[in-house]
Amino acid sequence: MTSGTRDGPGTGYVLGDTDPELARLDVLARLYGPATAAWLDSAGLAPGASVVDLGCGPGAAALAAAERVGPTGRVVGVDASDRHLAVARRRAAEAGHAHVEFVRADVTTWSPAGPVDAVLGRLVLLHLPDPVALVARSAALVRPGGVVAFQDVVLTSRAAHPPLPLLTAYDRWLRTALGRLGVPLDAGLRLTGVFRAAGLPDPVLTSAQPLERGGDAAGWAVVAGDVTSLLPAFERTGTATAAEIGPEDFERRLRAEAAAADAVLVNPMLVGAVARVP
């Protein structure tokens, strides 16, 4: 799920690969597990298939793909973060997936030894300056009739009902900082246009937007993890300071607000797109 380090507008992954970021990604994997399963099922991954997962992060989508292609298949996860790859390799070994390999490389330039049956990318396109180029390149890596599948988020769709002051502030910080860094907030809604521009047929779309209630919602940990991971970006872009945000107890305060209001958390929509290469 990482493609590099952001040094300017639209040049790479802005969330880092620290322990808090790994924890955030684990919560995301659990929260959106059913959505990822539906997306992969729509891709029709068959036993024995060869699959590449670009920007694999700690390996959630790659391992889910490995379950579908079975031991006669092969899955290669590609990521730029050694920390994420170490976690992915450990989890693959614990699951007994000898048919899964993880490679450290730039997802925009890496190529497999030959054509594969499917190329996946989960929460990676929003971090790239040219998502169309990656999707087009992915299509070139797939044999005719193979699958290109990407899944991305609509960050503007997160909400609480009733509204919570801390979440409202967080959304303002997120939109401002990512806007200044050139990261699209609606990447999931752009997928059809990206696939068309890459020369692919209109994709089959899946979507999910998990709802939770109260102070124990898992999604509050995602928000708090974002605050920790994005704090350098918030400060670098002049969006907010650590003193304004209070990251050390942000999650506790957010959960307390949610519990007091018995708030419903509408987690961001996750959109999957799948197309077959002509």
Side-chain angles (χ1 to χ4, degrees):
M1 194 178 297
T2 58
S3 57
T5 302
R6 181 176 295 279
D7 297 313
T11 57
Y13 191 69
V14 72
L15 288 163
D17 62 356
T18 61
D19 289 340
E21 171 59 8
L22 285 166
R24 185 191 73 90
L25 292 175
D26 283 346
V27 175
L28 276 174
R30 293 192 298 272
L31 185 62
Y32 289 101
T36 297
W39 167 61
L40 292 177
D41 289 343
S42 73
L45 301 180
S50 55
V51 179
V52 169
D53 179 14
L54 297 177
C56 65
L63 296 181
E67 295 284 351
R68 287 160 173 77
V69 303
T72 60
R74 182 167 182 260
V75 178
V76 179
V78 183
D79 202 275
S81 167
D82 286 324
R83 289 173 65 85
H84 288 181
L85 291 170
V87 173
R89 291 183 183 115
R90 173 174 55 78
R91 291 174 175 171
E94 290 172 350
H97 290 323
H99 58 301
V100 180
E101 175 188 3
F102 292 99
V103 177
R104 185 184 187 279
D106 183 337
V107 300
T108 65
T109 58
W110 180 86
S111 295
V116 297
D117 295 309
V119 172
L120 314 175
R122 181 176 179 272
L123 298 173
V124 64
L125 293 181
L126 79 163
H127 298 294
L128 298 179
D130 190 350
V132 173
L134 184 65
V135 174
R137 192 170 188 280
S138 299
L141 303 178
V142 173
R143 60 176 48 92
V147 168
V148 174
F150 283 85
Q151 190 177 45
D152 234 310
V153 69
V154 183
L155 291 171
T156 53
S157 60
R158 181 189 276 115
H161 299 277
L164 302 178
L166 272 180
L167 187 66
T168 299
Y170 161 81
D171 279 335
R172 183 176 66 252
W173 301 330
L174 183 74
R175 295 180 188 209
T176 300
L178 295 191
R180 290 172 180 173
L181 289 169
V183 178
L185 296 165
D186 59 349
L189 297 179
R190 301 186 184 198
L191 287 172
T192 294
V194 168
F195 273 54
R196 286 176 178 170
L200 286 167
D202 282 359
V204 173
L205 299 178
T206 58
S207 67
Q209 193 164 14
L211 301 180
E212 302 180 277
R213 183 174 178 177
D216 293 331
W220 302 128
V222 176
V223 175
D226 281 349
V227 165
T228 300
S229 297
L230 286 167
L231 182 58
F234 289 162
E235 294 190 314
R236 188 168 70 250
T237 58
T239 299
T241 66
E244 292 175 80
I245 296 170
E248 64 284 344
D249 67 344
F250 187 87
E251 183 172 352
R252 179 191 61 76
R253 290 182 286 126
L254 183 57
R255 288 186 181 278
E257 281 190 358
D262 194 21
V264 173
L265 171 61
V266 183
N267 288 288
M269 179 185 294
L270 193 64
V271 180
V274 175
R276 290 200 173 270
V277 175

